[in-house]
Amino acid sequence: CGPPAIPANAKVHTEKATDGSGGLKSARYDCDSGYELFGPDTIRCDPAKGWDRELPFCGTNVAYRKPVNQSSATRSGPAGFANDGKPGNQNPDGQECSETQKEVSPWWRVDLLTPEAVRVVRITTRGCCGHQPLQDLEIRVGNSSSDLQRNPLCAWYPGTVDEGTTKSFTCARPLVGQYVTVQLVGVESSLSLCEVEVFSNDEFSSDRCASPNLSVETVLTTFAKTCYEFHITRGESFEKARAVCKSHGGDLIHDFRGVTTDYIISELERRKTDLRTQLVWIGAQKEPGITSRTWKWVNGKQAAITRLVRRRTARRPDPERAISIPNANHALRTTADKFSRSPYTLGRPAECGIQS
């Protein structure tokens, strides 16, 4: 056979045939760093039929800490426990798994914020204590947030998923959708999920974005094929904050809108308990002049800025020195204002920002 096909985010290692034809007899695949391999890692050549038809799939989890919801909630099992990156099913006394109340056809849903090409959904179940096992499981992927049955079916599992196991479900074909739903259809039960991972090959992995000089405190994320860094650094001004980003080949986050704004807000919201303040450096500055009301991004484009009264604080930020993402709980500091403590940076290669 001639050279085999190479899936996205994969490398191939071939072995030559021994019949003197000069062709190839097998191909072994490895995924790029940060991607997981699903399916066969090796394919073989049949001289009459050609290469095996089934190719592996190299995907990265696009559901990690995205916004989630479920049909009902219990005090010990919020929906966010199912995509927090912790399997959570090993410790009987401290399991962190989502859990609904006992009801007919309970469901759990993750909002990927933008349509993704989904190939594999992997579920980890609760690991002990005689919890009701999952049965008649249905996974759907689509763009409807209100009508679950309207979204195309990725997988249906009529059997029972055992306690404390991890099981992968492969869609018959890639399904493009913003919402992924796990539901027990027609069953009166409680739905408990310790981890749900949604794999796509159409997104950057965090490893693909990593630069060699990142500090251990840096959090690296990806969204819509853009890398974002969240840094705790020593920057004390807009200029120093921007220098941190530029040293990693990027810039302060700028010119963002639509679903990117939703993503940034969700990232800041889930980190707010770990931050010393709610002020974030981004790539916008007010033009010089006492009466100026014009803000511009670091790329020169004009920025539409709204004012914000910081929630959960007693004082109001100076409106000349703070801007906001609409509906955010975070004032976004953008001028060379004095920092209170350590700043916080997000983004790379094209985006970056700093939080004080």
Side-chain angles (χ1 to χ4, degrees):
C1 293
I6 305 177
N9 314 311
K11 299 181 290 288
V12 65
H13 310 274
T14 57
E15 183 180 356
K16 290 184 178 180
T18 57
D19 58 3
S21 64
L24 303 173
K25 71 173 184 179
S26 67
R28 179 176 58 82
Y29 293 94
D30 293 321
C31 292
D32 295 338
S33 180
Y35 295 89
E36 290 192 44
L37 186 144
F38 298 89
D41 63 355
T42 301
I43 61 172
R44 304 188 184 282
C45 171
D46 184 307
K49 299 179 181 179
W51 290 107
D52 294 339
R53 286 192 171 187
E54 185 181 0
L55 290 175
F57 163 73
C58 292
T60 189
N61 180 19
V62 294
Y64 175 61
R65 288 188 168 176
K66 295 287 177 61
V68 291
N69 198 3
Q70 58 187 7
S71 53
S72 61
T74 62
R75 180 175 299 179
S76 60
F81 278 174
N83 70 331
D84 59 1
K86 307 172 188 176
N89 66 338
Q90 303 302 320
N91 180 5
D93 298 321
Q95 295 185 101
E96 292 187 347
C97 308
S98 72
E99 184 176 2
T100 69
Q101 297 178 11
K102 187 175 182 180
E103 58 189 322
V104 177
S105 300
W107 55 264
W108 178 94
R109 184 185 67 216
V110 58
D111 179 359
L112 304 178
L113 297 176
T114 188
E116 300 276 7
V118 176
R119 285 285 303 273
V120 176
V121 177
R122 187 165 64 194
I123 295 176
T124 300
T125 62
R126 189 181 287 270
C128 77
C129 313
H131 194 273
Q132 194 164 359
L134 307 187
Q135 56 182 330
D136 291 332
L137 185 71
E138 191 174 86
I139 301 172
R140 291 184 178 270
V141 180
N143 293 315
S144 175
S145 61
S146 56
D147 186 355
L148 303 184
Q149 297 300 312
R150 183 178 176 182
N151 291 329
L153 181 67
C154 165
W156 174 56
Y157 190 72
T160 299
V161 182
D162 293 334
E163 290 182 340
T165 60
T166 297
K167 187 173 181 60
S168 296
F169 301 88
T170 302
C171 302
R173 68 182 191 283
L175 293 177
V176 177
Q178 180 173 338
Y179 301 97
V180 178
T181 304
V182 178
Q183 185 174 24
L184 304 183
V185 179
V187 176
E188 184 175 2
S189 177
S190 170
L191 173 61
S192 181
L193 304 167
C194 291
E195 196 66 22
V196 178
E197 299 163 279
V198 178
F199 291 90
S200 172
N201 64 358
D202 197 31
E203 181 59 277
F204 287 173
S205 70
S206 294
D207 289 3
R208 184 171 179 176
C209 299
S211 60
N213 58 340
L214 292 182
S215 72
V216 294
E217 295 176 318
T218 299
V219 177
L220 186 62
T221 69
T222 66
F223 178 68
K225 295 186 177 179
T226 302
C227 308
Y228 296 87
E229 289 178 359
F230 292 76
H231 291 280
I232 296 176
T233 71
R234 286 188 167 183
E236 295 146 354
S237 66
F238 177 88
E239 289 74 18
K240 290 184 178 181
R242 193 176 183 192
V244 171
C245 295
K246 284 185 168 292
S247 70
H248 294 170
D251 207 337
L252 283 167
I253 186 170
H254 59 273
D255 202 14
F256 52 90
R257 64 196 72 191
V259 294
T260 301
T261 302
D262 296 338
Y263 173 73
I264 294 169
I265 291 173
S266 68
E267 286 293 305
L268 293 175
E269 278 291 325
R270 70 182 181 84
R271 288 183 170 86
K272 63 186 178 184
T273 56
D274 300 324
L275 303 180
R276 294 172 180 171
T277 80
Q278 297 179 17
L279 299 180
V280 183
W281 290 96
I282 65 172
Q285 284 184 298
K286 185 168 71 68
E287 289 196 325
I290 297 177
T291 61
S292 175
R293 292 293 184 270
T294 301
W295 293 75
K296 285 191 175 180
W297 297 114
V298 290
N299 64 0
K301 294 182 179 179
Q302 187 165 336
I305 302 300
T306 61
R307 297 180 182 180
L308 174 71
V309 175
R310 285 179 58 194
R311 300 177 188 177
R312 302 182 182 86
T313 60
R315 68 178 182 87
R316 178 192 299 264
D318 182 347
E320 301 304 321
R321 294 177 178 270
I323 66 171
S324 75
I325 303 172
N327 302 320
N329 289 336
H330 308 273
L332 303 180
R333 192 180 278 185
T334 59
T335 58
D337 192 11
K338 184 178 180 180
F339 258 65
S340 58
R341 293 200 180 174
S342 62
Y344 199 72
T345 310
L346 69 126
R348 198 191 82 82
E351 315 290 2
C352 198
I354 283 199
Q355 164 97 22
S356 160

